[in-house]
């Protein structure tokens, strides 16, 4: 019997429709090639962003969130950030609404892609970035507001805080880091490492300065490891260590081969993910996923923005979305199809074929439009 899986998808804004269309064609071809027609993806369009607002008057309909929850899976293009009040970020709202507490970003180099570092082939890491706490909690008050004044009064009078240099002109933010949130993130990173033959997990934090938030992340992470992974630690199957964020950012350039799985908080993870992506060619080829390993729900996405300045010009790079699709295939166990896509992409890059953003950096690079580059991938599959 044919095995079918329903995948809700969002075209997104800006270049979203172009790169999502490319991704769907590529994944369909790889699945057909790998399984001879015995497996198939049934695509279900759901709305978010500008299209949703135009049709339904809301940027993130509950029906879309419910579809991702019902099928436990989804993929999307980049989404606009709404102007004005309400939702700060559609991406953040979706992650928090579904409690997708892991932002997973694998980073590795593909032969033929130009990199600013000498040995990009040494970069092969998977970042586990906490996706619901820290700055994603969105707790802050603007300078001059009644709320900022009220908070400062409380800090000064009730908490005896004296270290705010210019309180009258300060904005304030609160950075929540919880034991539960830290534990489930570190647990997911350790399980991933064991399941994927990766021995080292590094907890990255700034606990030397923020002793109770980022220091708590480190402390709770080690406690979790000692409690739940003692056998794996004792046998040498798993090694867990930690590193201050600024030291990691330096070491990740000087000796990236020393790191395999990174577990960190939200803001650190944002910096780390994009810095690592730059080492292998940029966010244009950086995939991403938002996952709740307890419910199993996962939403995959391009990691770059909407790029409205090039939308509709047939020059957008679809690789981030395509590789996010590869992550989705791996997640559901259709790994053979995923390898076909990766091999086809690397074949294109090795022959200096790419969209203009990557081709312009390649010696003898041959630029192809989004549609034409997608055809090249399909031919190689």
């Amino acid at each position: 019997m044919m095995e079918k899986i329903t995948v809700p998808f969002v075209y997104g804004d800006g270049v979203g429709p172009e790169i999502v269309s490319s991704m769907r064609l590529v994944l369909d071809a790889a699945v057909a090639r790998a399984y001879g027609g015995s497996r198939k993806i049934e695509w279900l369009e759901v709305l978010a962003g500008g299209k949703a607002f135009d049709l339904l008057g809301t940027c993130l309909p509950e029906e879309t969130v419910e579809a991702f929850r019902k099928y436990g899976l989804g993929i999307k293009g980049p989404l606009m950030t709404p102007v004005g009040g309400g939702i700060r970020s559609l991406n953040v709202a979706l992650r928090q609404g579904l409690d997708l507490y892991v932002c997973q970003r694998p980073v590795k180099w593909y032969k033929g892609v130009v990199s600013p570092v000498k040995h990009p082939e040494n970069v092969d890491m998977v970042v586990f970035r906490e996706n619901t706490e820290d700055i994603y909690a969105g707790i802050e008050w603007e300078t001059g507001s009644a709320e900022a004044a009220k908070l400062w009064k409380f800090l000064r009078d009730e908490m005896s805080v004296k270290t705010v240099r210019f309180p009258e002109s300060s904005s304030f933010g609160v950075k929540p880091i919880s034991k539960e949130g830290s534990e489930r993130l570190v647990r997911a990173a350790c399980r991933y490492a064991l399941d994927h033959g990766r021995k080292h997990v590094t907890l990255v934090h700034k606990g030397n300065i923020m002793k109770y938030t980022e220091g708590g992340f480190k402390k709770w992470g080690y406690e979790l490891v000692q409690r739940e992974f003692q056998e794996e630690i004792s046998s040498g199957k798993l090694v867990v260590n930690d590193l201050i964020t600024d030291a990691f950012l330096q070491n990740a350039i000087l000796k990236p081969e020393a790191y395999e799985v990174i577990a960190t908080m939200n803001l650190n993870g944002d910096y780390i993910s994009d810095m690592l992506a730059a080492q292998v060619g940029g966010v244009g080829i950086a995939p991403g996923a938002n996952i709740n390993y307890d419910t199993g729900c996962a939403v995959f996405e391009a990691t770059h923005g909407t790029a409205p300045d090039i939308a509709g010009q047939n020059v957008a790079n679809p690789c981030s979305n395509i590789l996010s699709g590869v992550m989705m295939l791996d997640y559901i166990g259709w790994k053979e199809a995923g390898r076909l896509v990766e091999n086809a992409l690397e074949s294109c890059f090795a022959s200096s074929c790419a969209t203009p953003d990557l081709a312009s950096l390649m010696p003898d690079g041959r630029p192809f439009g989004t549609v034409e580059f997608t055809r090249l991938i399909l031919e190689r599959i």
Side-chain angles (χ1 to χ4, degrees):
M1 295 180 62
M2 176 177 286
E3 184 180 353
K4 296 180 181 179
I5 188 165
T6 299
V7 178
F9 73 96
V10 175
Y11 276 118
D13 300 304
V15 298
E18 297 168 82
I19 66 172
V20 171
S21 296
S22 171
M23 176 273 299
R24 290 178 57 197
L25 288 170
V26 169
L27 263 59
D28 282 343
V31 169
R33 175 69 173 171
Y35 307 114
S38 64
R39 291 178 175 176
K40 182 180 180 181
I41 297 173
E42 291 189 332
W43 299 98
L44 173 66
E45 184 184 0
V46 292
L47 302 179
K51 185 175 182 179
F53 186 81
D54 291 342
L55 294 176
L56 303 173
T58 176
C59 291
L60 186 59
E62 180 55 36
E63 293 83 357
T64 295
V65 179
E66 185 55 37
F68 289 138
R69 184 179 291 115
K70 174 182 177 181
Y71 293 103
L73 203 63
I75 191 165
K76 65 183 188 64
L79 294 172
M80 56 175 266
T81 299
V83 177
I87 298 175
R88 293 187 180 210
S89 164
L90 296 176
N91 293 323
V92 174
L94 188 59
R95 294 163 189 170
Q96 292 191 331
L98 294 169
D99 196 25
L100 305 175
Y101 61 84
V102 170
C103 178
Q104 187 184 116
R105 293 276 296 271
V107 187
K108 71 176 184 178
W109 180 69
Y110 292 93
K111 184 178 179 180
V113 177
V114 174
S115 163
V117 299
K118 290 183 178 179
H119 293 288
E121 68 276 9
N122 291 339
V123 181
D124 188 3
M125 303 183 211
V126 181
V127 178
F128 277 66
R129 171 193 179 196
E130 205 291 321
N131 221 9
T132 63
E133 299 189 318
D134 198 357
I135 63 167
Y136 266 12
I139 306 172
E140 61 175 350
W141 298 275
E142 187 177 8
T143 179
S145 67
E147 293 83 1
K150 185 177 182 180
L151 178 62
W152 167 239
K153 184 178 186 301
F154 171 77
L155 293 173
R156 180 192 64 207
D157 298 345
E158 303 294 329
M159 305 298 290
S160 301
V161 172
K162 300 178 181 178
T163 52
V164 179
R165 185 62 59 87
F166 304 108
E168 302 305 323
S169 62
S170 292
S171 294
F172 293 93
V174 177
K175 173 190 178 75
I177 303 291
S178 72
K179 180 179 180 181
E180 292 86 349
S182 299
E183 285 184 345
R184 66 181 185 173
L185 188 281
V186 174
R187 179 185 296 115
C190 290
R191 287 179 177 170
Y192 179 94
L194 291 167
D195 290 344
H196 292 80
R198 291 174 178 261
K199 185 176 181 179
H200 294 90
V201 175
T202 304
L203 312 180
V204 180
H205 61 91
K206 194 65 177 170
N208 57 328
I209 301 299
M210 291 173 278
K211 299 184 183 297
Y212 304 120
T213 51
E214 305 222 357
F217 174 84
K218 170 191 170 183
K219 172 178 177 289
W220 297 322
Y222 274 130
E223 290 175 350
L224 180 281
V225 169
Q226 288 298 319
R227 189 170 66 248
E228 298 187 13
F229 297 95
Q230 183 59 246
E231 182 179 340
E232 291 83 357
I233 294 291
S234 298
S235 67
K237 292 181 180 178
L238 182 67
V239 176
V240 179
N241 54 20
D242 73 279
L243 199 60
I244 301 299
T245 306
D246 42 330
F248 173 79
L249 291 170
Q250 175 180 227
N251 288 357
I253 295 175
L254 296 175
K255 49 179 182 179
E257 65 278 3
Y259 304 100
E260 294 182 299
V261 178
I262 309 303
T264 190
M265 289 145 290
N266 188 271
L267 185 57
N268 291 333
D270 200 5
Y271 300 149
I272 289 167
S273 297
D274 281 11
M275 185 276 289
L276 292 176
Q279 290 181 242
V280 297
V283 293
I285 56 170
N290 304 285
I291 304 172
N292 183 315
Y293 278 97
D294 302 321
T295 66
C297 188
V299 178
F300 302 82
E301 64 183 355
T303 59
H304 54 73
T306 58
D309 55 318
I310 61 170
Q313 298 179 32
N314 193 37
V315 295
N317 181 352
C319 292
S320 177
N321 210 233
I322 290 172
L323 289 170
S324 297
V326 171
M327 290 182 71
M328 183 179 73
L329 293 174
D330 288 349
Y331 187 73
I332 63 176
W334 296 8
K335 298 180 185 295
E336 300 84 358
R339 297 295 77 74
L340 284 175
V341 177
E342 285 194 298
N343 292 340
L345 274 176
E346 192 156 43
S347 173
C348 290
F349 297 146
S351 58
S352 299
C353 299
T355 47
D357 58 319
L358 296 179
S360 65
L361 303 174
M362 297 173 173
D364 304 317
R366 294 187 286 166
F368 289 82
T370 310
V371 172
E372 291 73 22
F373 183 64
T374 302
R375 289 179 188 147
L376 286 180
I377 301 170
L378 296 176
E379 289 171 6
R380 283 161 170 77
I381 290 174

